[in-house]
Amino acid sequence: QVQLVESGGGLVQAGGSLRLSCAASGRTFSSFAMGWFRQAPGKEREFVAAITWSGGSTYYRNSVKGRFTISRDNGKNTVYLQMNSLKPEDTAVYYCAADLRPPIATMTDGYDYWGQGTQVTVSS
């Protein structure tokens, strides 16, 4: 079992920044990959970013490349998503997820545990 708790969401103006955090517990955090997904109203949950267990490799959806950065601190059992130059279309509930089965996944069914989500709203 892995428990995941997101924080850091909120309301921000377009062009602003937010940093999301996801604290993990229950298993050895440094043994599995982590990902961030988002879901806007009326839309399917979509991949945003992922990071390998060591932090050595990262992956992003095209629309966030150059604006978002995923990172992790294995000493703190936490993964982060730094979001800069936010746009109204980034508005969604953001979820972190744990991928216990290599190779690293970019689809929702590749992840085994999910957090409860944190709302990000970007106003124009």
Side-chain angles (χ1 to χ4, degrees):
Q1 286 279 354
V2 177
Q3 292 78 43
L4 302 171
V5 179
E6 302 98 333
S7 61
L11 173 64
V12 63
Q13 290 188 335
S17 297
L18 282 174
R19 188 175 83 154
L20 305 183
S21 300
C22 173
S25 61
R27 292 187 64 161
T28 303
F29 182 68
S30 60
S31 66
F32 50 85
M34 293 292 296
W36 285 97
F37 289 74
R38 66 187 181 187
Q39 188 166 19
K43 295 188 177 181
E44 293 188 353
R45 192 169 298 189
E46 63 182 19
F47 170 77
V48 176
I51 188 167
T52 54
W53 65 271
S54 66
S57 295
T58 56
Y59 306 85
Y60 298 93
R61 71 178 299 108
N62 286 339
S63 62
V64 308
K65 284 181 182 178
R67 300 189 298 122
F68 290 12
T69 302
I70 188 171
S71 62
R72 65 190 296 161
D73 184 337
N74 287 343
K76 295 182 177 180
N77 291 352
T78 302
V79 63
Y80 305 97
L81 186 67
Q82 177 67 45
M83 305 185 295
N84 298 329
S85 302
L86 282 161
K87 304 176 181 180
E89 51 264 42
D90 295 317
T91 295
V93 177
Y94 283 70
Y95 299 89
C96 68
D99 177 1
L100 274 61
R101 297 166 286 157
I104 194 168
T106 59
M107 304 293 287
T108 56
D109 58 5
Y111 287 77
D112 303 282
Y113 296 96
W114 294 83
Q116 82 288 349
T118 185
Q119 176 70 47
V120 172
T121 303
V122 185
S123 63
S124 57

